[in-house]
Amino acid sequence: MQFPTTMTFFARFEADILSGKKVITIRDASEKDYQPGSVVDVSTLEEGRWFCRLKIKSVDPVLFSDLNEFHAEQENM
């Protein structure tokens, strides 16, 4: 299996990611194969414009029904 080496975010999250305000991302099952310790190139979803590299610290499965305010704060939402 080849693991992902890229990740996209909506452009509106770029400043929060670069400033460290957004420290998690919640992905659906189709994007579950990111590996802890890997480094991914990050670009905007809309334009495909690269803006940083991120190191994946951990990957933890979370059920939709278990999402809470803590997750929202980490998402800076």
Side-chain angles (χ1 to χ4, degrees), residues 1-7 31-35 38-40:
M1 172 184 278
Q2 190 161 3
F3 300 114
T5 59
T6 61
M7 184 179 286
E31 294 185 277
K32 68 178 177 23
D33 294 325
Y34 289 96
Q35 295 299 298
S38 65
V39 176
V40 296

